[in-house]
Amino acid sequence: MIRLFCLFSFLIIGFCASADDGYRLWLKYDLIKNTSVRTQYQTFTQYITYTGTDAVSQTAAQELQTGLQGLLGKNIRLQNTASSAPSGISLVLNASPQVNLGKEGFSIALQNNRLVISSNTPSGLLYGAFALLRKIQTATPLSKIPETSTPRIQLRMLNHWDNTNGTIERGYAGASLWKWYELPENVDPRYRDYARANASVGINAVVVNNVNASARFMSREYLLKVKALADVFRPYGIKIFLSVNFAAPKILDKFKNSDPLEPAVRQWWVEKAKEIYGIIPDFGGFLVKANSEGEPGPQDFGRTHADGANMLAEAVAPFKGIVIWRAFVYKADPKGDRFKAAYEEFKPLDGAFLPNVVVQVKNGPIDFQPREPFSPLFGAMPKTPLAMEFQITQEYLGFSTNLVYLAPLFKECLNTDTYANGPGSTVAKVIDGSLHQYPISIIAGVANTGSDRNWCGHLMSQSNWYAFGRLAWDHQLSSSQIAEEWIRMTLIQEAGGVASIVSIMEVSHGVYVNFTTPLGLHHIMGQNIHFGPEPWLERSARPDWTSIYYHRADSIGLGFDRGVNGSNALSLYHPDAIKQWSNVDACPLPYLLWFHHVAWNKKLSTGRTLWEELCGRYYTGVESVGLMQTAWSTLKGDIDAEIFADVSGRLAAQQREALWWRDACVLYFQQYSKMPIPAPLAPPTRTLEEIKELVRMYQLK
Amino acid sequence: MIRLFCLFSFLIIGFCASADDGYRLWLKYDLIKNTSVRTQYQTFTQYITYTGTDAVSQTAAQELQTGLQGLLGKNIRLQNTASSAPSGISLVLNASPQVNLGKEGFSIALQNNRLVISSNTPSGLLYGAFALLRKIQTATPLSKIPETSTPRIQLRMLNHWDNTNGTIERGYAGASLWKWYELPENVDPRYRDYARANASVGINAVVVNNVNASARFMSREYLLKVKALADVFRPYGIKIFLSVNFAAPKILDKFKNSDPLEPAVRQWWVEKAKEIYGIIPDFGGFLVKANSEGEPGPQDFGRTHADGANMLAEAVAPFKGIVIWRAFVYKADPKGDRFKAAYEEFKPLDGAFLPNVVVQVKNGPIDFQPREPFSPLFGAMPKTPLAMEFQITQEYLGFSTNLVYLAPLFKECLNTDTYANGPGSTVAKVIDGSLHQYPISIIAGVANTGSDRNWCGHLMSQSNWYAFGRLAWDHQLSSSQIAEEWIRMTLIQEAGGVASIVSIMEVSHGVYVNFTTPLGLHHIMGQNIHFGPEPWLERSARPDWTSIYYHRADSIGLGFDRGVNGSNALSLYHPDAIKQWSNVDACPLPYLLWFHHVAWNKKLSTGRTLWEELCGRYYTGVESVGLMQTAWSTLKGDIDAEIFADVSGRLAAQQREALWWRDACVLYFQQYSKMPIPAPLAPPTRTLEEIKELVRMYQLK
C-alpha cells in the first residue's frame, strides 16, 4: 500500500489496472475515468487546509490529499493554516462544540465552491475526510455531498484472535498481521495501511491479541511491542486494547493463585495497569475470556464473573480504561442446553458490575452459526452495558472459499425485536445504548484480516470488514446500500455490473444457510474443519461439541425442542419474543429446528413435508451456487482480470463444497427419515461412507 | 509480482523507487540508469527467437523478454521461429546433444551482434536466459557475457516444512505459500512468482510439504491440489516431490499396520504410486522422515530403514521416481552421544538400498547449529548416494531478526575434507557424486519462504535463498561473489555501497556464532524459542533436548569430550580428519568445545585462557553487531528507503538479542568458572535471574 498510496499512485494504477491484487481494499483512488463526473469536483483541488496541530487532523488532511489526487488526477496543495479562500476544502475543528455532532460526528457543507468538513474532534474530521472520499469514489453528485453524520455506537471495535506465534485462531487469510518477534524495532509499513482501512469505515478500537490470551502480553517486553502498534494506530483515531489471561499474576509472577478477592492479586493488577498506562497513556482497556473453554477465571476460586471483572475495572478506572468481559461461557452437560448457559450465568449478575465494565455477548446463544436467533441476554440486562460480538471471519461460513456477504446476517440480528421495553426494542437499540441508557456502547467484530496480500483471503470477504465498520457506525444503513458502496469502490462503477454483484452478495448468506444448515439446523459442521459437514459426529471431548447434541435426528423427526416440553430455553426470551417461535405451525421456517423437534412427514407452511423441504433446500442451495457462478461469469472483462479469476476459482471451490454438504446431510438424515430423496431431485451419486471418508481425511493431522 | 512483472514494469518502478517492499527479490529489472552500460546491450533488443514448442522454452523466451524490456527500456519482439538475423537473441535447442553441456547446462555465445543461448534441453535455455539477465543486471561488460555453465549437482531442491493448516515448522516469514484449502480451484498468482525465483537460481525440485508429513497428501483430494502446483512449476523446469507419512496405509486406509515386508502394504504403495503418476506424470518422488522424533517408520515393525526405503523405491521405480530417505535419527539416551546416532544407524546399511534411493544427511551431526563439523556420514557411504540437507530458514540463526548470510556456512561445510579417498575428498565431492560416482546427486535446502510480502521475513535473508541456489548449481562459486551478485541485483549498484554490504554479509555468520555459541559451543538455545539463550536448560522431554547435555560445564571446564576418553564420536571420521580435531592444543578454536572438555584456565593459542577467550568472543560478538549497524547506517539515502528502514529495525533487534545471549551465557557459565568477567570488559548490568525470567516469558503459551 505504501507503494500504491504514494503521491503518484494514480499514474501507476493506470499501467497495471489489469492486475489488481486486492491490497488496496476499497481505498483505490484510481483516476475517475468519466470526465464530467470528475469535473464537478474540480474546485476541491484548489487546496486543502486544516488548523489542528494534532496527529489525527494531519492524517485527515493527508488522506484527503492522497485520495483526491488519485481520483481527480491533480496535485493538491496542503496547508496547515486557516483559510476562507473561495474554493478548496477546509477541515475545521469547531471552536465551540456542536451538540448534534457529538464526539466523533462530522458535517460536510458546501459553501459555494468551498467545501467545509467540520467536527468537534480531530477524529470527526478524519471520518468526514473518508466520507467525502467515499462519496467521490462512488460518483455522488455535488448536491448530495453535504451530510451530517454521527456514529450510533461509541466503540466500533475489531477483535483479533491472533497468537504470539503468528497464527490466527479461526483465521483464513494467512498469518497474523502482527509480527511480535520483530516488534518493537521493526514496524511493518502494513500496520499503517491496516489502520487507514479501519479509520476509513469508522473503526476506532482494536484488540490485537486472542481472547485465549497469552500472559506474555502483560510483560513489559510485550507491552513495548504493543506500544509500537499503538503509536501507528493513534494518528488514525484507533485505541488499542488487550485480551488478558486472568491467571497472569500466577503465570508471570508466580503468585499462588489469581483469586480476585486476594489483596496481593488485586494489587498486582493495580500496578500492572499503572505500568501499562505509563507506556500507552491512551490504552483502551482489557477484553477477558474467563472460565470459558478451559481459560482461567474467577470461578476457579469460587468467585463470580463480577468479582473478576470488577477487580480489573478498579485497576484501570483511574486511567479511564474499561473492561470488556465476555459472556461466552457454557458447561459440558449432555443433558443440558448450551443455549441457556450464558443467560443463566450472567442474567443474575445484572447490576453487579462496576460502571466501567461491559459484558460482550455473541450475537446468538451458541457460537456464530450461519444463522442463530439473537442471544436472550440482549434486553435482559438493563443495568449492564452489553456489547455485541459478531464474527467477521468465516469460521462457520465457509472459511476463505465461500462467498458469504455478512451484512444481511448482522442486520437480521440487529433488527430483531427483543420486546424488552415493548415493541421496537430491537437488539440494535440494546447495543447502541438507547434502550437502557447504557453509558458505554460497543460493537465488536472478530476480524477476518491476515497476511494474505488481499487481507481477507476471499476478495469478496473484504466487503464483510467494510460492512461491519459501516454498520457499526450506523446500523440503519441497508445491506444493499453498503454492498453497492463497496462494489463501486472496489470492483466496478458501471450500473449493470454493480447490480449483478449486489444481487450475488445479497443472496449469498441465504444460499450458504441452505446448503449447510437450512430450516434452523445448527452446529452440524466438521469437528476442527468447520467449513465441512459432519452431522454424524457423535463423540467429542465434550457432548456439546458433537452434532447429534444439536440436530437430535431420530426416527420421528429432526430438531431441538426448546419449548416447554423440551429444554425450555425459549422461556429465557421476553413473552412477546417467545410467541413468534413457540408455535411450531407459526414459527418462521429459518428458525424452525432451533426450537422444535419436527416430524419428518409434518406438512410445513410451504405445503411440503419437513423431509421434502429439507432436501429441497439443500438442493436449492447447491443450485444457487451455480447461479452465483453464472452471474459472476458475466462480469468477465468488465472487472479486473486477476480479481475475476480469483473469485471465479473460489466460487468453483464453493460449488464443490456445497455438493459435499448437500450429499452428506441428505444421506445422513435419510437414515432417520427412511424416505427417498423426493423427485425430481436426483439422489447423490456417492455413498455416505465415501463422504465420511472425505471428511475424515480433512481431519487427519 | 504479477503487477511488477507486467509489460510496463520498468515504467512503474521509476515512479516508486522510494518504496520497495522486497517482493521482486533479485529479479528487479529496473531500467539501467547508466546509459553507456545500457547501450552496449542494445543489439539484444532487436528480437528474441526460440524454436522449442514446449512450455519451458516458451518460459525462457518470455522471461528474457520481460527482463530485458525492463532493464533496457525497449519493447522487444518475441518470435517462435528459427532465425539467423544479424542481431538479437536466439534460444537454440541443440540438434545433437553437446556432451559438455550435459542435461541442463547452457552456453551463451556472441556471434558479432547476435547472442545465442544454446542447450541440449529447454531447462538449459531457461537457466541460460536467467544467467544472461543476471549478467546484464550486474552490468557485465559485453566481452564477459559469453559463458558455458553446467550444474554440478542434478537435483537442486527446496524442502518446505509446510503444514496442511498453513503454518510452517521453523518458518519465520508468515504463513505457508501453499493454500491447501483453496486449491485446486484457486491458483494464487504468487505460485508462479515463486517458481520464477527458483528457476532464476537453478532450483529444479521442490518438496512442498513438511517432513513431519500429513497422510492427507496421499489422498486423491490432496493429490489434485498438488497437481495444480505441479502444473505451475512445470514450465519453470521444477519437479514436485512429496514428503510421505510412512504410516499412510494405516492412517488413510485403516490397514492393521504399515510393515514394509507385508505384501498388502507393499501393494498399497504400488497402487498409490500408480495413482500419483496418473495425476502427475513427472512427479519426482518421496521424501521420508521415518523413526525420527516420533514419526512412524519401518523400525516400528522390526524392519530396517533400507526395508522401508526399498519398498517405496520399488513402487516409484517404474515411473523413474526416487526416494529420499532422511538420516536425521537419534534415540533418547542420557549416556549416549547424539553425535553418533545417524552414523551408527546408517553406515551399516551402505549397499543395502535400491539404486533409486538417496539418503539425505544434515550438514552436521546434531541439528543445524550455527556451526557444526560435517556429519561423519559424508565419505562413509560410498555405495549409497548421499544428499546434503542444509537449512536456509534460520531456526538456530536468529529467526527473522538476525542478519546472517549463510553462504560462508554452506561453503565451510562443502569445502571440508573428509579424506575418504585421500586428501581432497571434500564434502562437496561426496555430494556432487564425483567422489563415489553416485548415479544421483542432490542438495536440499530447508526453505525460508513464507507469505510475508518480501518472502523471507528479513530482507537480507533473501540472499540465503539466492546463495543456496547458486551454490547448488556451482559449489565452487565464492560466497563473496554470490553476495556481490545478489546485492547488485537487489540493493545497489554503486561499488562502495556494494563493498560495504558484502563486508557486512561476509562477517555476519561469524558474528552470530560469536554472540551465541563461540568456540564450538552448541545446542544451548532456548527450548521452543531457538533464537534465544537457555544454557541452563536441564530438563526436557528428552535428555538430548537439554543444554547441559551438550555444553557439560562443570567446575573444571567446558565442552563435550568426544575423544577416546569421552564419547569417542571422533572415531567415526577418517583418521586424517580426526587428526585436525583430536589434539586439544591443535584443534581449531571454532571447533574446540565440539570435541574437548577444556579447563577454564587453560591457555589457548590466542594467549588467553578459555574463560577469557569465551568472554572475549561473546563481547566481541555484541560489539560486531554494533559495527554492522554503523556500516549499514552509512547506506542511508543510497538504497531504497523502505528496505533501509526494514533492515535497520532488524539490526536494532539483533543488537538487543545479542546482548541477551551474551549476558545470559557469560553469567551462566560464570557460575562454573567462578572467575570475574575479564577486564576491561564491563560485567552485565542485569542478573542471571532477570535474564532467565525474560527467556521464560518468551516460552509462555
Coordinates of all heavy atoms in Angstrom, one line a residue, chain B residues 508-546:
Chain B
S508 N 28.9 -11.8 8.9 CA 27.7 -11.9 9.7 C 27.5 -13.3 10.4 O 27.1 -13.4 11.5 CB 26.4 -11.6 8.9 OG 26.3 -12.6 7.8
H509 N 27.9 -14.3 9.7 CA 27.8 -15.7 10.3 C 28.7 -15.8 11.5 O 28.4 -16.3 12.6 CB 28.1 -16.7 9.3 CG 28.2 -18.1 9.8 ND1 29.3 -18.9 9.9 CD2 27.2 -18.9 10.5 CE1 29.1 -20.0 10.5 NE2 27.8 -20.0 10.8
G510 N 30.0 -15.3 11.3 CA 30.9 -15.4 12.4 C 30.5 -14.6 13.6 O 30.6 -15.0 14.8
V511 N 29.9 -13.4 13.3 CA 29.3 -12.6 14.4 C 28.3 -13.3 15.2 O 28.3 -13.4 16.4 CB 28.8 -11.3 13.8 CG1 28.0 -10.5 14.9 CG2 29.9 -10.4 13.3
Y512 N 27.3 -14.0 14.5 CA 26.3 -14.7 15.1 C 26.8 -15.8 16.0 O 26.4 -16.0 17.2 CB 25.2 -15.2 14.1 CG 24.0 -15.7 14.8 CD1 23.0 -14.8 15.2 CD2 23.9 -17.1 15.2 CE1 21.9 -15.3 15.9 CE2 22.7 -17.5 15.9 CZ 21.8 -16.6 16.2 OH 20.6 -17.1 16.9
V513 N 27.8 -16.5 15.5 CA 28.4 -17.6 16.2 C 29.0 -17.0 17.5 O 28.9 -17.6 18.6 CB 29.5 -18.4 15.4 CG1 30.3 -19.3 16.2 CG2 28.8 -19.1 14.2
N514 N 29.7 -15.9 17.3 CA 30.4 -15.3 18.5 C 29.5 -15.0 19.6 O 29.7 -15.3 20.8 CB 31.2 -14.0 18.1 CG 32.6 -14.4 17.7 OD1 33.1 -15.4 18.1 ND2 33.3 -13.4 17.1
F515 N 28.3 -14.3 19.3 CA 27.5 -13.9 20.5 C 26.5 -15.0 20.9 O 25.8 -14.8 21.9 CB 26.8 -12.6 20.2 CG 25.7 -12.5 19.2 CD1 24.5 -13.1 19.5 CD2 25.8 -11.8 18.0 CE1 23.4 -13.0 18.5 CE2 24.8 -11.7 17.1 CZ 23.6 -12.3 17.4
T516 N 26.5 -16.2 20.2 CA 25.6 -17.2 20.7 C 26.4 -18.5 21.1 O 26.2 -18.9 22.3 CB 24.6 -17.7 19.6 OG1 25.4 -18.1 18.4 CG2 23.7 -16.5 19.2
T517 N 27.2 -19.0 20.3 CA 27.9 -20.3 20.6 C 29.3 -20.3 20.1 O 29.7 -21.0 19.2 CB 27.1 -21.4 19.9 OG1 26.9 -21.1 18.5 CG2 25.8 -21.8 20.5
P518 N 30.2 -19.4 20.7 CA 31.6 -19.4 20.3 C 32.4 -20.6 20.6 O 31.9 -21.4 21.5 CB 32.1 -18.1 21.0 CG 31.3 -18.1 22.2 CD 29.9 -18.6 21.9
L519 N 33.5 -20.8 20.0 CA 34.5 -21.8 20.3 C 34.0 -23.2 20.3 O 34.5 -24.1 20.8 CB 35.0 -21.6 21.8 CG 35.8 -20.2 22.0 CD1 36.0 -20.0 23.5 CD2 37.1 -20.2 21.2
G520 N 32.9 -23.4 19.5 CA 32.4 -24.8 19.4 C 31.3 -25.2 20.4 O 30.9 -26.3 20.4
L521 N 30.8 -24.2 21.1 CA 29.5 -24.5 21.9 C 28.4 -24.8 20.9 O 28.4 -24.3 19.8 CB 29.2 -23.3 22.8 CG 30.0 -23.1 24.0 CD1 29.7 -21.7 24.7 CD2 29.8 -24.2 25.0
H522 N 27.4 -25.6 21.4 CA 26.3 -25.9 20.5 C 25.1 -26.3 21.4 O 25.3 -26.8 22.5 CB 26.7 -27.0 19.5 CG 27.3 -28.2 20.1 ND1 28.6 -28.2 20.5 CD2 26.8 -29.4 20.4 CE1 28.9 -29.4 21.0 NE2 27.8 -30.2 20.9
H523 N 23.9 -26.1 20.8 CA 22.7 -26.5 21.3 C 22.4 -26.0 22.7 O 22.1 -26.8 23.6 CB 22.6 -28.1 21.3 CG 21.2 -28.6 21.2 ND1 20.2 -28.5 22.1 CD2 20.6 -29.3 20.1 CE1 19.1 -29.0 21.7 NE2 19.3 -29.5 20.5
I524 N 22.6 -24.7 22.9 CA 22.4 -24.1 24.2 C 21.3 -23.0 24.1 O 21.1 -22.1 24.9 CB 23.6 -23.5 24.9 CG1 24.3 -22.5 24.0 CG2 24.6 -24.6 25.2 CD1 25.4 -21.7 24.7
M525 N 20.5 -23.2 23.0 CA 19.4 -22.2 22.8 C 18.2 -22.5 23.6 O 18.1 -23.6 24.2 CB 19.1 -22.2 21.3 CG 18.4 -23.4 20.8 SD 19.5 -24.8 20.6 CE 18.4 -26.2 20.5
G526 N 17.3 -21.6 23.6 CA 16.1 -21.7 24.3 C 15.2 -22.9 23.8 O 15.1 -23.1 22.6
Q527 N 14.6 -23.5 24.7 CA 13.6 -24.6 24.3 C 12.5 -23.9 23.6 O 11.9 -22.9 24.2 CB 13.2 -25.3 25.6 CG 12.3 -26.4 25.3 CD 12.3 -27.4 26.5 OE1 12.5 -28.6 26.3 NE2 12.0 -26.9 27.7
N528 N 12.1 -24.4 22.5 CA 11.0 -23.7 21.7 C 11.4 -22.4 21.1 O 11.0 -22.1 20.0 CB 9.7 -23.6 22.5 CG 9.2 -24.8 23.1 OD1 9.4 -25.9 22.5 ND2 8.7 -24.8 24.4
I529 N 12.1 -21.6 21.9 CA 12.5 -20.3 21.3 C 13.9 -20.4 20.9 O 14.8 -19.9 21.6 CB 12.2 -19.1 22.2 CG1 12.9 -19.3 23.6 CG2 10.7 -18.8 22.3 CD1 13.3 -18.0 24.2
H530 N 14.2 -21.0 19.8 CA 15.5 -21.3 19.3 C 16.4 -20.0 19.1 O 17.5 -20.1 18.8 CB 15.5 -22.2 18.1 CG 15.0 -23.6 18.4 ND1 14.8 -24.5 17.4 CD2 14.7 -24.2 19.6 CE1 14.4 -25.6 18.0 NE2 14.3 -25.4 19.3
F531 N 15.7 -18.9 19.1 CA 16.5 -17.6 18.8 C 17.1 -17.0 20.0 O 17.8 -16.0 20.0 CB 15.6 -16.6 18.0 CG 14.6 -16.0 18.9 CD1 14.8 -14.6 19.3 CD2 13.5 -16.6 19.3 CE1 13.8 -14.0 20.1 CE2 12.5 -16.0 20.1 CZ 12.7 -14.7 20.5
G532 N 16.8 -17.6 21.2 CA 17.3 -17.0 22.4 C 18.1 -18.0 23.2 O 18.2 -19.2 22.8
P533 N 18.8 -17.6 24.3 CA 19.7 -18.4 25.0 C 19.0 -19.2 26.1 O 18.0 -18.7 26.7 CB 20.6 -17.4 25.6 CG 19.7 -16.2 25.9 CD 18.7 -16.2 24.8
E534 N 19.4 -20.4 26.4 CA 19.0 -21.1 27.6 C 20.0 -22.1 28.0 O 19.7 -23.3 28.1 CB 17.6 -21.7 27.4 CG 16.9 -22.1 28.7 CD 15.5 -22.5 28.5 OE1 15.0 -22.6 27.4 OE2 14.8 -22.8 29.6
P535 N 21.2 -21.7 28.3 CA 22.3 -22.7 28.6 C 21.9 -23.5 29.9 O 22.5 -24.5 30.1 CB 23.5 -21.9 28.8 CG 23.1 -20.5 29.0 CD 21.8 -20.4 28.2
W536 N 21.0 -22.9 30.7 CA 20.7 -23.5 32.0 C 19.6 -24.6 31.8 O 19.2 -25.2 32.8 CB 20.2 -22.5 33.0 CG 19.1 -21.6 32.4 CD1 17.8 -21.8 32.3 CD2 19.3 -20.3 31.8 NE1 17.1 -20.8 31.7 CE2 18.0 -19.8 31.4 CE3 20.4 -19.5 31.5 CZ2 17.8 -18.6 30.7 CZ3 20.2 -18.3 30.8 CH2 19.0 -17.9 30.4
L537 N 19.2 -24.9 30.6 CA 18.1 -25.9 30.4 C 18.6 -27.3 30.8 O 19.5 -27.9 30.2 CB 17.7 -25.9 28.9 CG 16.5 -26.9 28.6 CD1 15.2 -26.5 29.3 CD2 16.3 -26.9 27.1
E538 N 18.0 -27.8 31.9 CA 18.4 -29.1 32.5 C 17.5 -30.2 32.2 O 17.9 -31.4 32.3 CB 18.6 -28.9 34.0 CG 19.8 -28.1 34.4 CD 19.9 -28.0 35.9 OE1 19.1 -28.6 36.6 OE2 20.9 -27.4 36.4
R539 N 16.2 -29.8 32.1 CA 15.2 -30.9 31.9 C 14.4 -30.6 30.7 O 14.0 -29.5 30.4 CB 14.3 -31.0 33.1 CG 14.7 -32.2 34.0 CD 13.7 -32.3 35.2 NE 13.8 -31.1 36.1 CZ 14.8 -31.1 37.1 NH1 15.6 -32.0 37.3 NH2 14.8 -30.0 37.8
S540 N 14.1 -31.6 29.9 CA 13.2 -31.5 28.7 C 12.6 -32.9 28.5 O 12.8 -33.8 29.3 CB 14.1 -31.1 27.5 OG 13.2 -30.8 26.4
A541 N 11.8 -33.0 27.5 CA 11.1 -34.2 27.2 C 12.1 -35.3 26.9 O 11.9 -36.5 27.1 CB 10.1 -34.1 26.0
R542 N 13.3 -34.9 26.4 CA 14.4 -35.9 26.1 C 15.7 -35.3 26.7 O 15.9 -34.1 26.6 CB 14.5 -36.1 24.6 CG 13.3 -36.7 23.9 CD 13.6 -36.7 22.4 NE 14.8 -37.4 22.1 CZ 14.9 -38.2 21.0 NH1 13.9 -38.4 20.2 NH2 16.1 -38.7 20.8
P543 N 16.6 -36.2 27.2 CA 17.8 -35.6 27.7 C 18.6 -34.8 26.6 O 19.3 -33.9 26.9 CB 18.6 -36.9 28.1 CG 18.0 -38.0 27.4 CD 16.5 -37.6 27.2
D544 N 18.5 -35.3 25.4 CA 19.3 -34.7 24.3 C 18.6 -33.4 23.7 O 18.9 -33.0 22.7 CB 19.7 -35.7 23.2 CG 18.5 -36.5 22.8 OD1 17.4 -36.3 23.3 OD2 18.7 -37.5 22.0
W545 N 17.6 -33.0 24.4 CA 17.0 -31.7 24.1 C 17.3 -30.6 25.1 O 16.9 -29.5 25.1 CB 15.4 -31.8 23.9 CG 15.0 -32.5 22.7 CD1 15.8 -32.9 21.6 CD2 13.7 -32.9 22.3 NE1 15.1 -33.5 20.7 CE2 13.8 -33.6 21.1 CE3 12.4 -32.8 22.9 CZ2 12.6 -34.1 20.4 CZ3 11.3 -33.4 22.3 CH2 11.4 -34.0 21.1
T546 N 18.1 -31.0 26.1 CA 18.6 -30.0 27.1 C 19.8 -29.4 26.6 O 20.4 -29.8 25.6 CB 18.9 -30.7 28.5 OG1 20.1 -31.5 28.3 CG2 17.7 -31.6 29.0

